[in-house]
Amino acid sequence: MASNKVISLALIINLLIRVLRHMASLTKNLILAFLCVLFGFVCFSNAQLSSNYYGSSCPNLKTIVGDAMKEAVNREARLGASVVRLFFHDCFVNGCDASILLDDTSSFTGEKNANPSMNSLRGFEVIDTIKTQVEAACPNVVSCADILALAAQEGVASLGGPSWAVQLGRRDARTASLSSANAQIPMPTSTLSTLISMFSAKGLNAAEMTALSGSHTIGQARCASFRNRVNNDTNIDSGFAATLRATCPASGGDGNLAPLDIQTPSQFDNKYYQNLEARRGLLQSDQELFNGGSQDSLVKSYSSDGEAFKRDYASAMVKMGNISPLTGNNGEIRRNCRAIN
């Protein structure tokens, strides 16, 4: 009899311990959620995102997006890089919520004309085309935020880059913020310390920042963003600078273009890092990654090991895509990516 009482008491104690642990876990999560809201912390959420989120509601989604992106990139290779840049600018301003796609309205000024984006963001028509095709197949189901995330991955893969399992289930924002875009997106003149700080504010560490900067292995930049570097910087290969000054003189020609990767501008590879070692980074913010600072060794590593770069890049893109998504009943599923419903 005493033995049975001891066993029962042990079971009760064990149950109480499990309940207390569960309550502690819930309390921790509630506190974290409260802090995220109160102090604007960057919160990553995988709980409601899934790579198979539309498995039954829109089973052909990835095929639709993939085919449209391949067609776009075959028409103009630069569009792959343009869509990746849209995704980056979207996620860095209040999370990956397609706010970057919104046009200005009477109630808010959108993010398209923020200082880091002015006269340079492009690819909106590609997302419009994909949205139209997706709506025809699965009306009112797939968010613009998820379409942009998938399109960015397909853009990279179409140019020889890695693939990754895109987490889905985001919803679309009902507003945009010009002031946040001006404050939260790095500029082409950003220093290394500024880059590290701005990525850290989004929950991304310095190594992930260096990997994500490898997006500049594809695409082009306007003269206005690299004029000072090629005309005034000293940590630049003299021949490289002289060649670029023909395209980008000390004044005029703001819209003239140059490839971010002088070696293989339409191939997603590790040549970007080789350029940095040779002091041939197009933007000041690029060359900052290899300029006697904390990221020099990682740049050298990626320069010699393209597969390591691609692995780290894919992992960092997944993490960036999880910045503060709108899920559940938050936000909406836009019918037109340029305007709220």
Side-chain angles (χ1 to χ4, degrees), residues 207-264:
E208 289 161 340
M209 178 272 294
T210 298
L212 289 170
S213 296
S215 295
H216 288 179
T217 188
I218 52 177
Q220 300 184 62
R222 299 172 70 248
C223 165
S225 66
F226 60 86
R227 172 179 287 116
N228 184 68
R229 170 153 171 75
V230 301
N231 284 282
N232 298 310
D233 276 8
T234 56
N235 63 337
I236 186 170
D237 176 79
S238 58
F240 177 63
T243 299
L244 286 168
R245 283 195 291 270
T247 301
C248 188
S251 62
D254 282 7
N256 293 347
L257 298 174
L260 287 158
D261 173 359
I262 195 174
Q263 296 191 69
T264 53

Side-chain angles (χ1 to χ4, degrees), residues 210 270 272-278 289-306 308-309:
T210 298
N270 64 333
Y272 166 79
Y273 298 100
Q274 296 176 12
N275 294 334
L276 298 186
E277 282 195 286
L289 302 182
F290 190 82
N291 194 33
S294 63
Q295 300 307 293
D296 282 16
S297 60
L298 187 55
V299 168
K300 288 182 178 179
S301 176
Y302 287 158
S303 175
S304 61
D305 190 344
F309 157 56

Side-chain angles (χ1 to χ4, degrees), residues 73 76-78 81 155-156 158-161 217-220 259 261-269:
V73 170
E76 183 189 357
R78 186 185 174 199
V156 168
S158 294
L159 294 172
T217 188
I218 52 177
Q220 300 184 62
D261 173 359
I262 195 174
Q263 296 191 69
T264 53
S266 297
Q267 182 70 27
F268 195 99
D269 54 28

